[in-house]
Amino acid sequence: MNSNPLIALIVLLGLLVTRTAFGEPIANELSTEKLAGEGVWVMPALQRQTTRGIRVTVWFEDQFLGKGDSYQRRAKEFATSKRRQLRDDVITTLKSLSRRSFTAAKPAIDELLGAGSISQVERHWIVNGFSCNVSPGKIGSLKQIPGVRKIFMSRSRGVPPITKETSPTVALSDRKDFDSNRYLHPWYTRSLLADQVWDRLGVTGQNTLNVISDSNFDLSKTYSINVYRNDREIPANGKDDDGNGLIDDFHGYNFANNSAKITTRPVPSNTFSGQLLHGSMCAAIICGAGHAELKYEFGLAPEGRWAGVIAGPRIEAAVEWAIEQRADTYSMSFSIPNLGEYRSHWRKVMEHGSFCGVFFVSGAGNFAQSERVPVQMRVPEDIPSVVFAAAGVQRDLRRTTFSSKGPVEWNLEHYQDGRVQKPEVCAFNQGLPMMAPNGQIRPTAMNGNSFAGPMFCGTIALMVSADPDLLPWDLREIITSTATDVAEPGIDDETGHGLINCYRAVKEVLRRKALREGNDPSPFEGREPNDELDLKSLRESLRPRFTVLRVQPNSPAAKKGVKVGDIIAKCDGKTTANMQQFRTAKANATARDQKKITVHFERNGKIKPIDFVPGNWGMSAGPSFGSPVFE
């Protein structure tokens, strides 16, 4: 080695320049903060836990974001950064913090482990700290560990032993270049103007990884054509090839039972079960792609990839995995009430994760009819700034009655924002098409904000595909400022800033990218014809009609010639424009002990009366619209 310090410095600088020239980011450790206050804060609920063991989550004093307002403040500090470089710098910083704090704390932790006071220690770097089980009456012993400043009651039961269970491995398939005319796409891609992003801007979600946190994933060909493949892991060999402590995390990982098994329940090929297909349909909406044996393509970002995680209560491990796989989005279609002060831990995980380049997305929740504001939106959708929440509207843009409303409230020991505006935007959450693993379709089978969130996620995948260095706070400003107002003028607590507009959002991303890189932004400037929905025309064309959605084979309805798409005009002489009117008319006729009930069906402009006997007729009905479900 050269002993001349000046020459050594020149050589080092030369190496740095060389690495930068080849596009390899060089991570730098960033400044950090300390938690405010003095002493060790203990979540009040823990002080009552004296007769049984409990699991806790501990924060060390040193954090990347130390105070309740740190996210907004440090976003301004890094306002001119690039997302990918900032991600690498923050990951390096978080891991260094964790290593230093845990090294200092380890002797005390080992002593408590040896005494049986604690067990099942799981270290976290996404928030500098750890989780562990604490024996009865031993909470106070944690205060003696060097660096410990906050102790939360966790929802986890500990870390299950690693198992070698795995889901089927999906072979890599050849995919043709994207062609928007090759497959039929559902109506929401047109209403959100995603099709214009593909055709006019050439952005289709390329090179994005979208992690879906759910409870079950179907890996049949219908859903897995673009499933993620961890290239550092050899699939199904029972080994931890990439050295991250997880065995066979090839398509994703199940942190709830510590295995690679993300298909936790068998999925029959002909099922339309909302529970079995929940995670798969979320993936399909975000980036579902077509294949040779299928004529449908569901995804807003059809050239993106998806990975499935089952996080359970181990949110830290799941988010750390997503970050290390360099995920772009993290979709959460679940809602957790009554976390109390533990909400702060979830929020800190996602604030740090946001600085690590992950865009967290959630539906607004389905609790408008059962909960009061400000708790209709819960964790994770109530987290400000870093979790983007989508409320729901119907296809004709009427608000869905069950869709949770804001604002939310943060008056905790660590976060004291007070009332916070939520949701950010709205998407569609009722009467959505659904696909069975065998490719069969039901045109209006899915309801819930579980699916509005993935539409937000798919939009973000398009935006990040257009500019991989887009920062999270800039993305939030773009997607809210380009949304189409569909309720009362201005932002509101039911639909946020309005309906997502994929085209205007991606176009603004490209404009800003051109300015940042010194290129001509004019192709992306100004308004254009058809860059926003014509709300009046849309509503007029989508007046719902009460129609037959499904007819069971060999049922009374099938034998009498009823077909899917028939309009149910009358039942027992009463007009039936919706399910409530239909059920009431049928129930009244049954109560009168009528031997027959006449239903008037409309098909191709002609009315046909059909007589039924009281009972189950083997058909389901609901609202449908004149515009086709797929085009």
Side-chain angles (χ1 to χ4, degrees), residues 134-160:
V134 184
S135 300
K138 297 296 183 181
I139 292 292
S141 65
L142 295 174
K143 296 181 181 181
Q144 309 307 314
I145 298 175
V148 168
R149 286 294 308 279
K150 294 186 188 293
I151 305 173
F152 298 89
M153 185 169 68
S154 172
R155 287 291 185 95
S156 175
R157 295 182 179 178
V159 183

Side-chain angles (χ1 to χ4, degrees), residues 185-195 198 281-288 297-301 395 427-434 446 451 454-455 499-500 502 533 628-630:
H185 297 91
W187 56 264
Y188 57 77
T189 62
R190 304 186 295 278
S191 293
L192 298 176
L193 275 63
D195 58 334
W198 310 334
M281 284 307 306
C282 289
I285 289 171
I286 296 167
C287 59
E297 191 164 58
F298 273 63
L300 292 174
R395 188 177 178 184
F428 299 104
N429 71 345
Q430 189 165 13
L432 298 168
M434 188 177 189
M446 296 196 306
F451 308 111
M455 290 187 192
L499 182 71
I500 292 168
C502 293
L533 283 181
V629 174
F630 291 93

Side-chain angles (χ1 to χ4, degrees), residues 455-532:
M455 290 187 192
F456 202 165
C457 195
T459 304
I460 293 172
L462 292 173
M463 296 169 73
V464 177
S465 180
D467 181 7
D469 281 322
L470 183 64
L471 293 165
W473 39 89
D474 291 334
L475 184 144
R476 184 180 187 276
E477 190 274 325
I478 290 171
I479 205 165
T480 53
S481 65
T482 57
T484 302
D485 203 340
V486 294
E488 293 297 320
I491 187 172
D492 62 79
D493 296 326
E494 297 182 351
T495 61
H497 292 262
L499 182 71
I500 292 168
N501 184 324
C502 293
Y503 179 70
R504 288 188 58 206
V506 173
K507 187 178 152 187
E508 175 63 10
V509 168
L510 291 171
R511 186 189 73 83
R512 296 188 185 195
K513 180 184 179 185
L515 284 171
R516 187 184 72 231
E517 296 179 348
N519 297 322
D520 179 14
S522 60
F524 312 111
E525 294 178 339
R527 299 297 300 274
E528 305 171 57
N530 303 316
D531 71 350
E532 193 168 52

